[in-house]
Amino acid sequence: MPTALDPRTGLPVVAVVGGGQLARMMQQAAIALGQSLRVLSAGPEESAALVSADVRIGDHRDLGDLRALAEGATVVTFDHEHVPTEHLRTLVAEGTRVAPGPEALVHAQDKLVLRRALREAGEPQPAWVEAHTVHDVTAFADEVGWPVVLKTPRGGYDGKGVFVVHGPDAVAELLERHGTLLAEERVRMVRELSAQVARSPFGQVAVWPVVETVQRDGVCAEVYAPAPGLSDELATAAQELAVRIADRLGVVGMLAVELFQTADGVLVNELAMRPHNSGHWTIEGARTGQFEQHLRAVLDYPLGSTEMVAPAVVMANVLGGAAAREDWSGPALDERIHHLMAHWPDVKLHWYGKTQRPGRKLGHVTALGADLAEARARAVAAARYLADGVVDPAFAFPHDPEH
């Protein structure tokens, strides 16, 4: 079957399921590469729908909407994983190229499927059990100790669908509400890491430096590249682990392997088979950013260099804070962006165009430098100013009215 191309450009059409900020940043990369991006968005005001020329309004759970999205596209890929696996299998059976394919993607969609695959492959992961009853959880807790982490197998992200339980009293209600759960030991970890790899259909891979991720209330707040103080041996082991998983599962596109670092090494927490929050730093911080690399991989283009362009890169998420509240009376968003650019002219801003509300991921900032602590200070201060309207005294101008 000939490859479907955009007749206007002679270049690929990439169809993206989901209209969030990942699709929005994929659009930026597609522009530079000349590719046409088509987005399936839940509504016209979603992040990617605001900036994409070809937007299809529809439901990612509806097979008809998915078929319409795929018609004439070179490949279908994802802004999120919440697509019924059976619909993706149908698209593949009908001749649509889907990357990553459903047999790979299901490992990012279903945590129990992932845990079984890791066990079969002998890869490091926390102790776990599939829980149908309170007894399943209490018997497991007898082995690993309380508290126990309970997770919904499907649908959770940014801390949603994750519950830390300290005894059996809360277990029955969670099982009644959610049905089968994944029960995991609560890992005694040093910190959280992320290893990202891109893989093409024929197995070319490219890895970035392993990064440290800082979570607050289950949401990624900061990312440090490279992970400070990580030994070369452990960094290489984490990268090789990510490559093994990508190869074994047949991933096409980006794969983020979220890791727990322990006193003994690393354990696999979860997977994402798309661009990931832990890789936003690569847009400015690496020769090839994750969004461009994802497009190159799903289209089977040769992959780009992942070399860092500075010794240290820090990304800080802008999470809705005081300025996102309804009673906010401080400077409006446009004024805050003006002030941000004045105070931190070398910090790069990515604003997602979302409706503001407390705790929501509204954008991110990235700072590059020779020293991690110094780069972090700039990134965190800039993100805090956008979120809360507060200028860090270290960056205040003389007689600064904002301070």
Side-chain angles (χ1 to χ4, degrees):
M1 181 183 296
T3 299
L5 299 172
D6 189 327
R8 302 166 299 175
T9 66
L11 291 170
V13 179
V14 178
V16 184
V17 179
Q21 66 262 27
L22 301 182
R24 182 185 178 104
M25 288 182 274
M26 223 180 288
Q27 173 70 76
Q28 293 172 290
I31 290 170
L33 298 177
Q35 296 160 7
S36 301
L37 205 77
R38 179 185 300 163
V39 174
L40 179 63
S41 179
E45 296 182 354
E46 282 204 308
S47 188
L50 294 173
V51 300
S52 299
D54 188 355
V55 179
R56 311 293 173 91
I57 304 301
D59 189 332
H60 61 269
R61 298 163 297 186
D62 185 279
L63 180 57
D65 288 343
L66 293 169
R67 281 175 167 145
L69 175 76
E71 185 176 357
T74 313
V75 65
V76 173
T77 191
F78 305 94
D79 168 275
H80 61 75
E81 293 98 344
H82 310 305
V83 187
T85 311
E86 61 271 20
H87 289 354
L88 298 178
R89 289 181 176 130
T90 298
L91 291 182
V92 171
E94 293 172 350
T96 298
R97 277 196 59 214
V98 177
E103 304 313 317
L105 187 65
V106 70
H107 296 85
Q109 296 175 314
D110 191 312
K111 297 177 180 65
L112 282 169
V113 172
L114 169 64
R115 289 287 175 235
R116 295 184 195 114
L118 292 173
R119 180 173 60 193
E120 182 179 338
E123 299 292 8
Q125 61 177 325
W128 64 276
V129 69
E130 183 175 339
H132 302 277
T133 67
V134 174
H135 175 72
D136 291 337
V137 178
T138 56
F140 178 66
D142 288 342
E143 296 178 12
V144 301
W146 297 98
V148 167
V149 180
L150 298 181
K151 298 180 179 181
T152 56
R154 283 183 176 251
Y157 66 97
D158 286 347
K160 299 177 177 66
V162 179
F163 313 94
V164 179
V165 293
H166 294 265
D169 292 346
V171 175
E173 190 271 334
L174 288 172
L175 285 168
E176 184 176 350
R177 192 192 329 162
H178 298 287
T180 300
L181 293 169
L182 168 64
E184 293 182 357
E185 66 171 321
R186 190 175 190 184
V187 174
R188 294 189 178 187
M189 63 178 177
V190 176
R191 56 180 170 175
E192 294 189 57
L193 304 172
S194 178
Q196 281 193 293
V197 58
R199 184 178 181 275
S200 74
F202 289 98
Q204 184 189 6
V205 294
V207 296
W208 285 263
V210 177
V211 301
E212 177 179 349
T213 64
V214 178
Q215 316 289 322
R216 297 196 182 98
D217 299 322
V219 179
C220 180
E222 301 170 29
V223 174
Y224 311 144
L230 187 66
S231 69
D232 291 344
E233 181 182 16
L234 192 53
T236 299
Q239 290 172 319
E240 290 175 345
L241 170 62
V243 170
R244 286 198 306 273
I245 292 173
D247 283 339
R248 184 178 180 88
L249 300 184
V251 174
V252 173
M254 287 296 305
L255 170 68
V257 181
E258 298 178 56
L259 300 164
F260 297 133
Q261 183 183 354
T262 71
D264 300 317
V266 294
L267 302 174
V268 177
N269 177 20
E270 295 179 3
L271 305 182
M273 293 185 193
R274 50 172 170 75
H276 188 255
N277 202 164
S278 66
H280 291 350
W281 69 272
T282 64
I283 300 173
E284 287 86 24
R287 296 291 178 195
T288 308
Q290 65 166 346
F291 295 96
E292 177 185 337
Q293 198 82 295
H294 184 72
L295 293 171
R296 291 167 75 144
V298 300
L299 291 166
D300 202 20
Y301 287 7
L303 302 182
S305 167
T306 56
E307 178 187 6
M308 292 184 66
V309 301
V313 184
V314 175
M315 189 242 30
N317 274 328
V318 181
L319 304 176
R325 295 200 299 256
E326 291 185 4
D327 60 353
W328 174 250
S329 59
L333 174 61
D334 185 52
E335 185 178 352
R336 297 201 307 280
I337 290 177
H338 274 73
H339 283 296
L340 179 144
M341 291 178 176
H343 283 280
W344 301 277
D346 58 337
V347 168
K348 301 298 290 186
L349 169 65
H350 292 262
W351 193 253
Y352 302 154
K354 294 179 175 181
T355 302
Q356 297 186 58
R357 64 171 183 260
R360 193 179 197 189
K361 287 181 184 175
L362 301 175
H364 75 265
V365 297
T366 307
L368 285 68
D371 179 77
L372 183 71
E374 188 273 335
R376 178 183 181 272
R378 287 184 285 119
V380 170
R384 184 188 178 204
Y385 177 68
L386 273 185
D388 297 323
V390 176
V391 174
D392 187 308
F395 299 96
F397 297 146
H399 313 296
D400 194 325
E402 299 301 321
H403 173 56

